[in-house]
Amino acid sequence: MSLRIFYHPHYSALTLPERHRFPLAKYQALFERLVALDYPLAQATPASREQIEKVHDAAYVQAALAGTLDEGAIRRLGFPWSPLLIERTLHSVGATLAASRHALAQGCGLQISGGYHHAHRGFGSGFCLFNDLVIAARTCLDEGLCERVLIVDLDVHQGDGSAALCTGSRDIITLSLHGEHNFPRHKPASHLDFPLPSGMEDDAYLETLDQALALAHRLYAPDFILYQAGVDVHRDDELGYLSLSDSGVRQRDAMVFDSALRHGLPITAVPGGGYRRDWQQLIPLHLSLFEVARHRFG
């Protein structure tokens, strides 16, 4: 088994409006930390339009790529449109796909961005233009690399886009633990949903996760895991309502990787969300995901 982490230099290159909530600079800082710690890194290639249109509506994809989304769609997305946004998004979707292919061949793959779980078939939402998780899952299934994918979504916000895209699916299974009272307001049904009360701390969260993972394996017997590891479950997150500690976040990541190892499954992980004005405080939380993966997969 070997670990590889995918990235692209444009992850932090967007120009956003002043005081925008998205902590764009964290990706470059995380990349620099991973380089300094000698992690195995590889630059991603962009996803193709054909791969994206296997999941998203062709008219929406055309409007997004051409910059003809209307004002309401741009507001819902939360990012101003630019050619660099498209290039960044295509490379990030491509990185999740590359990490998935690597995991299916070598055991574990990660990337530095990704986790765009609010993107629906015909619209973007919550800083998510195209759903990299579902696109990667669908592409790997179509390529015959796996037969049933489990998307484990542990961002504090429910993956409404992933849930809606996979409604009725028997080969892409969605599992979500999320803040019951947090964004999005409307939460389509995942295959397995665990809405959590505000303020939940480490012990209760980890017990719930342990039961959720056991149930997912027992009911669906996946052969590949895609893990959305948002750190906005942390007690100091400015947009999250849960109360995990640093240690709780790390134990959560370890539990998901250990579940994959216990069942002999390849796993791909992406960092997902995390929101603080002092975005540098997010780096140790995100970095622990990569540390846990390297400890287990080398």
Side-chain angles (χ1 to χ4, degrees), residues 142-165:
D142 289 349
E143 292 175 351
L145 301 176
C146 52
E147 295 183 357
R148 181 171 286 167
V149 181
L150 173 64
I151 297 176
V152 177
D153 193 331
L154 303 187
D155 196 276
V156 78
H157 306 106
Q158 193 227 23
D160 57 323
S162 300
L165 286 167

Side-chain angles (χ1 to χ4, degrees), residues 87-105:
E87 186 171 354
R88 181 191 189 278
T89 301
L90 294 179
H91 279 91
S92 190
V93 175
T96 300
L97 175 54
S100 298
R101 287 172 171 153
H102 181 82
L104 285 158

Side-chain angles (χ1 to χ4, degrees), residues 5-297:
I5 301 165
F6 294 84
Y7 77 101
H8 193 269
H10 286 161
Y11 283 169
S12 291
L14 285 180
T15 300
L16 296 178
E18 189 176 357
R19 299 187 64 79
H20 195 283
R21 290 310 306 262
F22 195 77
L24 197 65
K26 73 178 184 180
Y27 299 106
Q28 182 62 28
L30 182 57
F31 169 73
E32 291 171 0
R33 289 291 302 277
L34 293 170
V35 169
L37 293 168
D38 198 30
Y39 278 79
L41 291 150
Q43 189 164 315
T45 56
S48 70
R49 182 168 179 163
E50 180 182 10
Q51 289 162 346
I52 294 168
E53 289 183 352
K54 288 287 185 72
V55 169
H56 291 285
D57 178 76
Y60 166 63
V61 175
Q62 169 60 25
L65 296 179
T68 58
L69 294 170
D70 62 36
E71 289 184 10
I74 292 294
R75 268 196 312 274
R76 189 168 196 170
L77 173 62
F79 281 144
W81 188 92
S82 69
L84 190 55
L85 172 65
I86 299 304
E87 186 171 354
R88 181 191 189 278
T89 301
L90 294 179
H91 279 91
S92 190
V93 175
T96 300
L97 175 54
S100 298
R101 287 172 171 153
H102 181 82
L104 285 158
Q106 298 291 336
C108 183
L110 297 95
Q111 80 129 320
I112 295 175
S113 182
Y116 305 138
H117 58 168
H118 298 310
H120 288 247
R121 188 173 305 279
F123 61 90
S125 176
F127 312 138
C128 303
L129 186 65
F130 300 138
N131 195 308
D132 60 309
L133 300 164
V134 179
I135 293 167
R138 177 53 57 203
T139 301
C140 290
L141 287 161
D142 289 349
E143 292 175 351
L145 301 176
C146 52
E147 295 183 357
R148 181 171 286 167
V149 181
L150 173 64
I151 297 176
V152 177
D153 193 331
L154 303 187
D155 196 276
V156 78
H157 306 106
Q158 193 227 23
D160 57 323
S162 300
L165 286 167
C166 299
T167 298
S169 170
R170 298 180 63 86
D171 56 4
I172 306 178
I173 307 303
T174 53
L175 163 63
S176 178
L177 273 68
H178 54 267
E180 181 178 14
H181 302 295
N182 212 318
F183 177 89
R185 183 176 61 82
H186 174 61
K187 297 176 175 63
S190 309
H191 290 81
L192 294 168
D193 273 311
F194 293 81
L196 307 176
S198 298
M200 179 177 272
E201 297 181 348
D202 293 355
D203 289 349
Y205 183 96
L206 295 169
E207 181 179 353
T208 304
L209 175 58
D210 185 51
Q211 295 172 357
L213 290 171
L215 184 62
H217 286 291
R218 186 165 64 249
L219 291 180
Y220 296 105
D223 59 356
F224 175 44
I225 293 175
L226 268 165
Y227 173 34
Q228 209 276 26
V231 300
D232 42 13
V233 294
H234 193 272
R235 60 192 174 201
D236 294 329
D237 196 86
E238 293 165 9
L239 298 183
Y241 299 158
L242 301 182
S243 295
L244 271 67
S245 67
D246 291 19
S247 175
V249 172
R250 190 179 186 91
Q251 290 179 69
R252 175 203 68 169
D253 294 342
M255 186 175 288
V256 178
F257 283 117
D258 288 343
S259 176
L261 284 169
R262 191 163 53 249
H263 290 86
L265 304 185
I267 181 169
T268 287
V270 301
Y275 302 94
R276 299 194 205 177
R277 293 292 184 191
D278 184 4
W279 58 264
Q280 293 182 354
Q281 295 182 26
L282 297 170
I283 302 306
L285 293 173
H286 284 310
L287 189 61
S288 73
L289 174 72
F290 298 91
E291 292 170 346
V292 170
R294 181 155 72 171
H295 179 70
R296 282 155 177 78
F297 292 92

